[in-house]
């Protein structure tokens, strides 16, 4: 999974990226200090891995990972080449979802590119640039498809969808809010790979004081949540400054620090939880003496396709999946004990893999 971290200059993007990935992105109090996208890979925290490693005396633990791309700040007119312009927009096309960092704190010592703090204005500045970029693509696509549709009736529905999208984008709406009744129509829409069709997580960057109540008393955060609700996006609250302060601490020190602030989860944990929810992702695990590994899949993935995440041969030669739940395995202490209790199931090709399934795939190629 690849997430692109975006936002106006000086909203805390690079600080957040650095703290989450222990990266080296330059964080400075002026616009465009991040020119090329910085990339970092982060392990997904999974409390199920350590108990399995202990149970199997495994030599290695391999968590699922998320790739973060810190993308340069943008200003009004980016779709026309202002600021870093189309370079910024091209980087967004490569990610699965957008993490839009929004400044929700007042601080006279931190320069705002527009001179004042207004999260909805900031969100719309970026959204409109993405819309303008998508409109440019749609208009060119319409011109090309209209010519071809004269001799190919199969393209007429695609042209209708393009016209609908053009109308919605011109009305200031994002492509992700446009829904068609037919799955085939939605497939055509998704094939355009529009910037505004990508799922969005809004990261409300607050001061330390607003972190304990999850931003509930922060008027900026309330406005962001209301905005996100109207477009079916997710919001999570964090303090990039706190994330930076805890980034070098070990797990125990980190927990003590957050407890002292009255905070249950770090910003990274909130981000991962929100992104899994937004993208409909779950993790299953494989376990043995060589290694314990978490595998990320879409919710509703069938057993053979889940096996294919490990190796294409597993999917091609799939016979069955032997499955036990994590809770049952840890409670009973061994796979043998779980089998004696009848808690190890044999599932076939139509089984939907569940979050936390411990799976042994049987296959033959």
């Amino acid at each position: 999974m690849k997430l692109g971290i975006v936002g106006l200059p000086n909203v805390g993007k690079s600080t957040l990226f650095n703290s989450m990935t222990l990266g080296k992105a330059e964080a400075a109090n002026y616009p465009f200090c991040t020119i090329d996208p910085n990339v970092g890979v982060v392990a997904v925290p999974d409390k199920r891995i350590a108990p399995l490693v202990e149970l199997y005396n495994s030599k290695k633990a391999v968590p699922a990972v998320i790739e973060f791309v810190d993308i340069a700040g943008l200003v009004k007119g980016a779709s026309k080449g202002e600021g870093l312009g189309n370079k910024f927009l091209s980087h967004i096309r490569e990610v699965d979802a957008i993490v839009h960092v929004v400044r929700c704190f007042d601080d006279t010592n931190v320069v705002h590119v527009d001179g004042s703090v207004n999260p909805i204005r900031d969100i719309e500045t970026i959204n409109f640039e993405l819309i303008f970029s998508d409109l440019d693509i749609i208009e060119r696509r319409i011109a090309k498809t209209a010519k071809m549709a004269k001799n190919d009736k199969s393209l007429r529905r695609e042209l209708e969808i393009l016209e609908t999208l053009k109308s919605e984008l011109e009305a200031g709406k994002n492509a992700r809010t446009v829904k068609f009744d037919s799955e085939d129509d939605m497939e055509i829409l998704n094939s355009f790979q529009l910037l505004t069709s990508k799922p969005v997580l809004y990261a409300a960057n607050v001061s330390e004081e607003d972190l304990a109540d999850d931003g509930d008393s922060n008027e900026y955060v309330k406005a962001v949540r209301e905005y996100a609700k109207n477009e079916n996006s997710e919001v999570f609250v964090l303090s990039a400054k706190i994330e930076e302060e805890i980034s070098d601490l070990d797990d125990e020190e980190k927990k003590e620090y957050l407890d002292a602030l009255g905070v249950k989860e770090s910003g990274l944990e909130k981000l991962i939880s929100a992104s899994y929810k937004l993208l409909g992702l779950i993790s299953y695990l494989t376990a043995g003496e060589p290694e314990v590994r978490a595998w990320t899949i879409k919710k509703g993935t069938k057993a053979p396709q889940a096996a294919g995440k490990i190796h294409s041969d597993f999917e091609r030669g799939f016979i069955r999946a032997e499955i036990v739940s994590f809770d049952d395995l840890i409670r009973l202490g061994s796979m043998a004990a779980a089998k004696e209790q009848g808690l190890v199931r044999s599932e076939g090709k139509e089984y939907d893999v569940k979050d936390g399934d411990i799976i042994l795939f049987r296959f033959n190629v």
Side-chain angles (χ1 to χ4, degrees), residues 31-60:
F32 309 125
C33 66
T34 308
I35 296 176
D36 291 313
N38 295 273
V39 179
V41 177
V42 176
V44 175
D46 193 329
K47 295 176 182 177
R48 298 170 296 203
I49 290 179
L52 289 172
V53 168
E54 186 176 345
L55 182 65
Y56 284 93
N57 196 25
S58 304
K59 295 182 175 65
K60 187 165 65 169

Side-chain angles (χ1 to χ4, degrees), residues 335-348:
M335 185 66 86
K339 284 181 178 178
E340 286 177 12
Q341 296 287 327
L343 295 172
V344 178
R345 310 184 313 278
S346 181
E347 300 286 358

Side-chain angles (χ1 to χ4, degrees), residues 57-104:
N57 196 25
S58 304
K59 295 182 175 65
K60 187 165 65 169
V62 185
V65 297
I66 290 179
E67 186 175 323
F68 288 106
V69 183
D70 177 32
I71 301 171
L74 133 121
V75 292
K76 291 177 184 176
S79 59
K80 304 298 181 186
E82 293 293 326
L84 296 171
N86 292 324
K87 188 173 185 180
F88 170 91
L89 299 172
S90 67
H91 293 148
I92 300 177
R93 295 194 190 282
E94 301 169 6
V95 303
D96 298 309
I98 296 169
V99 180
H100 188 158
V101 183
V102 187
R103 178 171 167 178
C104 293

Side-chain angles (χ1 to χ4, degrees), residues 111-129:
V111 176
H112 191 289
V113 71
D114 285 330
S116 63
V117 178
N118 184 330
I120 302 306
R121 179 201 59 207
D122 294 354
I123 288 172
E124 290 184 340
T125 294
I126 287 187
N127 279 353
F128 283 135
E129 294 308 318

Side-chain angles (χ1 to χ4, degrees), residues 13 187 202 279 281:
K13 283 188 311 85
E187 201 169 304
Y202 291 107
L279 295 173
L281 301 176

Side-chain angles (χ1 to χ4, degrees), residues 198-238:
K198 292 186 180 294
V200 173
L201 288 163
Y202 291 107
N205 185 14
V206 302
S207 65
E208 177 183 325
E209 293 75 22
D210 287 335
L211 202 55
D213 71 351
D214 203 35
D216 288 345
S217 58
N218 183 309
E219 294 301 320
Y220 296 141
V221 174
K222 290 177 184 177
V224 173
R225 283 175 171 152
E226 190 63 30
Y227 187 94
K229 187 166 63 175
N230 293 329
E231 59 172 38
N232 297 318
S233 295
E234 293 283 326
V235 179
F236 69 100
V237 175
L238 82 165

